[in-house]
Amino acid sequence: MIGHKLITKQTPKTGINVNKVMVAKSVNITRETYFCIVQDRLHNGPVVIISPSGGTDIENVAAKTPHLVKTIPIDVHQGITESLAQKIADFLEFRGDLKAKAATEVQKLWNLFLSVDATQLEINPLVETDEREVISVDAKINFDDNAEFRQKNIFSQNEVSESDPREVDASKYNLNYVGMDGNIGCLVNGAGLAMATMDIIKLHGGEPANFLDVGGGVNEESIIQAFRIISSDSNVKCILVNVFGGIVNCATIAKGLVNACKSFKLSIPLVVRLEGTNVQEGKRILDESKLPLIFASDLDEAASKAVRADSSSKQKAFAA
């Protein structure tokens, strides 16, 4: 398997390269069940989802045999008590001495869920074997990004070889980056503003080259790094900076823009729209920089100018 491509329903159509193989103890399964703990917005906390019909797509089980799926809200202060664990094991149809073993396994899984700050812990299947054991054979665990500061060992094992290198690079500076196929780089603060910016660029006939959100904790250094990442894409022919300063200080953004332009000697058009906290100071800093910036007073004007600047860049490149 190593050195070859793995193609499944969960991989891209082209597959992924196999660089590592996990070897686990083989067990003889006599029966499969489904067990999952997941954070659920509807219940404002964790729920347990269980089914005695495991080893298959739980969505199909729920659709065809809904009586075989049960959802149980969990009080985070009480957790999964011994009594509740027994009821879960009973619904999963563990009998005899296996019921106590299954209940113990369920409580251990709850403790694991808490200790690693998981948002989802899915065991499919949770099995009984021919040796009268209860074993979690396959697992999927999602971790809360906000808990990275106390789960450093887990997050240090993050496998990034299949990720876009620009996304990995951006994450080092607390930037959110998603590469696209267009020509207009987008530097914004806030995911909602990013979506609106990309939509209005397309409305004016342009194509966004990326989604780059500098977030609310932005500083001058992160702005410089954001420009470095955007400008590393040779397809980018224009950069649109659209910042609405709430918790973000426009003066900080402006200083970062000036330093970035000087550091990377940008040769492509840069359209800037600033609004919000300390915007006048931000505009003053940009005016005094004497940089060849294209200013816009609102988002519609900014997008329109970015699309026109992108078109002009393409024409110059074609003429050359």
Side-chain angles (χ1 to χ4, degrees):
M1 295 178 65
I2 294 179
H4 295 274
K5 287 202 170 189
L6 176 69
I7 301 177
T8 71
K9 291 181 179 180
Q10 297 181 354
T11 68
K13 292 182 179 179
T14 56
I16 59 175
N17 291 320
V18 178
N19 300 315
K20 301 175 183 178
V21 174
M22 184 181 77
V23 179
K25 177 184 176 181
S26 176
V27 296
N28 293 321
I29 299 171
T30 59
R31 197 174 66 85
E32 300 179 335
T33 71
Y34 178 89
F35 177 87
C36 177
I37 310 173
V38 64
Q39 295 286 6
D40 181 56
R41 287 183 181 272
L42 183 63
H43 293 88
N44 293 318
V47 298
V48 167
I49 303 172
I50 50 177
S51 174
S53 180
T56 58
D57 189 337
I58 193 64
E59 285 81 4
N60 289 334
V61 176
K64 296 177 181 178
T65 53
H67 63 286
L68 293 180
V69 179
K70 179 179 283 190
T71 299
I72 306 171
I74 304 298
D75 184 322
V76 292
H77 300 292
Q78 294 183 4
I80 297 181
T81 62
E82 184 175 349
S83 173
L84 179 56
Q86 290 284 342
K87 291 178 181 178
I88 291 172
D90 188 57
F91 184 81
L92 293 177
E93 299 179 1
F94 288 100
R95 301 292 180 252
D97 63 325
L98 287 175
K99 182 176 178 179
K101 291 180 180 179
T104 299
E105 185 75 1
V106 164
Q107 287 189 296
K108 288 180 178 178
L109 289 170
W110 169 254
N111 290 333
L112 173 63
F113 179 82
L114 290 180
S115 66
V116 299
D117 288 295
T119 57
Q120 177 180 356
L121 191 159
E122 182 182 46
I123 309 297
N124 191 21
L126 175 66
V127 309
E128 60 180 70
T129 73
D130 60 351
E131 296 182 351
R132 306 292 291 174
E133 295 177 302
V134 177
I135 297 177
S136 300
V137 171
D138 195 8
K140 175 182 179 181
I141 306 177
N142 291 332
F143 303 95
D144 185 353
D145 291 344
N146 293 314
E148 183 176 356
F149 71 97
R150 64 171 170 245
Q151 300 292 347
K152 292 181 179 178
N153 181 51
I154 290 174
F155 281 86
S156 68
Q157 300 177 58
N158 185 27
E159 177 57 61
V160 297
S161 61
E162 297 168 25
S163 303
D164 185 327
R166 294 169 297 183
E167 292 183 25
V168 177
D169 189 11
S171 67
K172 297 176 183 177
Y173 304 97
N174 296 316
L175 304 171
N176 297 306
Y177 179 94
V178 178
M180 298 180 181
D181 299 325
N183 304 101
I184 300 175
C186 305
L187 191 155
V188 302
N189 65 310
L193 190 59
M195 299 299 291
T197 301
M198 292 188 294
D199 285 345
I200 202 165
I201 285 174
K202 292 181 70 70
L203 185 64
H204 281 278
E207 290 293 334
N210 67 272
F211 167 118
L212 199 154
D213 172 17
V214 298
V218 63
N219 53 42
E220 291 181 40
E221 176 61 20
S222 56
I223 292 293
I224 292 173
Q225 297 302 330
F227 264 84
R228 177 181 61 78
I229 294 168
I230 292 177
S231 60
S232 68
D233 185 349
S234 59
N235 291 324
V236 174
K237 305 303 179 186
C238 173
I239 297 176
L240 168 57
V241 175
N242 182 30
V243 170
F244 187 87
I247 59 175
V248 172
N249 191 318
C250 288
T252 300
I253 299 292
K255 290 176 183 177
L257 290 178
V258 171
N259 290 332
C261 290
K262 292 178 178 178
S263 298
F264 301 107
K265 296 183 174 62
L266 287 180
S267 58
I268 58 177
L270 177 60
V271 180
V272 180
R273 180 252 179 165
L274 293 180
E275 193 56 74
T277 303
N278 213 9
V279 64
Q280 295 305 322
E281 176 63 13
K283 289 180 177 179
R284 184 192 65 77
I285 292 170
L286 294 178
D287 285 337
E288 292 180 359
S289 72
K290 305 302 181 182
L291 292 169
L293 307 176
I294 303 172
F295 293 99
S297 58
D298 57 42
L299 178 53
D300 187 69
E301 181 186 356
S304 176
K305 288 184 174 181
V307 172
R308 290 202 302 270
D310 175 36
S311 299
S312 298
S313 295
K314 290 178 182 177
Q315 292 173 359
K316 290 179 181 178
F318 181 78

